[in-house]
Amino acid sequence: MSRPFWDGLREQRLRIQRCGGCRTWQFGPEWICHRCHAFDPAWEDVPARGLVHSWERVWHPSHPSLKGHGPYLVVLVELPHAGGVRLVGNLLGDPLQPVRIGMPVVGRFEHHAQPFPYTLLQWAPSAERPG
């Protein structure tokens, strides 16, 4: 179900579902449109640019594999080019940097080889607002 999203990240493309009937954007991946219930929403490429909608500085690891990696910043990014869909990710850079609601960010594709090939979408501060 989510394979087109993950395949897109490996190709350094951000793909979000959009209904061919009512044109509603949605995420997470589903077999049907959240709004009109049409089947098989399409995947469309959108710019990996957005605005911080919410954020948190994490001081305590939420998983044993993150022990010793704090603090770190988690952001909820709103995608204006995808109807305001929101994605969660890490904010790269200084974990003590100032963060503000509405701050522009740009996606960074982080490729990993182990334990299998995969790519994560991370976020970095940007001077340019998405237009």
Side-chain angles (χ1 to χ4, degrees), residues 44 50 122:
E44 293 190 19
Q122 308 283 24

Side-chain angles (χ1 to χ4, degrees), residues 43-61:
W43 289 91
E44 293 190 19
D45 290 351
V46 298
R49 305 190 72 74
L51 302 169
V52 172
H53 180 79
S54 184
W55 66 278
E56 181 175 2
R57 194 176 326 270
V58 180
W59 294 90
H60 303 286

Side-chain angles (χ1 to χ4, degrees), residues 30-50:
E30 293 285 349
W31 292 104
I32 65 170
C33 172
H34 294 172
R35 183 168 182 234
C36 74
H37 301 162
F39 284 99
D40 295 326
W43 289 91
E44 293 190 19
D45 290 351
V46 298
R49 305 190 72 74

Side-chain angles (χ1 to χ4, degrees), residues 7-124:
D7 287 348
L9 293 185
R10 261 195 313 279
E11 298 165 6
Q12 298 199 170
R13 297 164 47 196
L14 176 56
R15 293 181 182 148
I16 303 294
Q17 277 187 317
R18 189 172 196 189
C19 179
C22 70
R23 306 301 293 156
T24 298
W25 294 95
Q26 66 183 32
F27 195 86
E30 293 285 349
W31 292 104
I32 65 170
C33 172
H34 294 172
R35 183 168 182 234
C36 74
H37 301 162
F39 284 99
D40 295 326
W43 289 91
E44 293 190 19
D45 290 351
V46 298
R49 305 190 72 74
L51 302 169
V52 172
H53 180 79
S54 184
W55 66 278
E56 181 175 2
R57 194 176 326 270
V58 180
W59 294 90
H60 303 286
S62 59
H63 188 274
S65 67
L66 296 173
K67 188 174 183 177
H69 292 282
Y72 58 94
L73 292 164
V74 177
V75 289
L76 179 63
V77 175
E78 186 168 289
L79 304 175
H81 296 100
V85 162
R86 297 175 187 155
L87 300 177
V88 174
N90 293 323
L91 185 66
L92 301 174
D94 183 351
L96 300 179
Q97 68 185 293
V99 183
R100 64 179 172 70
I101 304 301
M103 182 173 94
V105 290
V106 61
R108 299 286 183 238
F109 299 90
E110 185 179 279
H111 303 288
H112 296 267
Q114 299 296 326
F116 51 83
Y118 67 97
T119 301
L120 296 176
L121 178 62
Q122 308 283 24
W123 298 96

